[in-house]
Amino acid sequence: MKLQLRESRRRQGITQKMLAESLCVDLKTIGNWERGETVMSIEQLCKCCEVLNCTPNELCGWYLE
């Protein structure tokens, strides 16, 4: 599953480096997540949502119609 990570990050004006530092992960990890090459843990997802001021549903691209 490819997250809406890049779009959410850019909307908040946060660089990959800033996000990596906030989540205590390597910069390459952010790129891997954005390309859908690896997945984050549920703990990382929750922290990422806090940093990006979004919900897990928004980050995963799950929307109710």
Side-chain angles (χ1 to χ4, degrees):
M1 168 182 53
K2 187 171 178 185
L3 299 175
Q4 300 297 311
L5 183 57
R6 180 177 290 132
E7 296 81 3
S8 297
R9 179 179 58 75
R10 288 181 175 169
R11 268 195 303 274
Q12 294 296 321
I14 296 175
T15 65
Q16 285 185 336
K17 182 178 180 181
M18 293 164 60
L19 184 58
E21 290 172 355
S22 296
L23 300 177
C24 300
V25 299
D26 191 80
L27 180 61
K28 291 179 183 179
T29 301
I30 302 299
N32 288 338
W33 289 343
E34 287 186 353
R35 289 186 300 277
E37 294 176 5
T38 59
V39 295
M40 60 178 71
S41 69
I42 191 70
E43 292 86 8
Q44 292 166 325
L45 176 70
C46 291
K47 179 66 176 169
C48 191
C49 288
E50 288 177 17
V51 172
L52 297 177
N53 193 32
C54 66
T55 67
N57 283 354
E58 291 168 336
L59 194 58
C60 293
W62 300 333
Y63 302 99
L64 297 175
E65 294 184 20

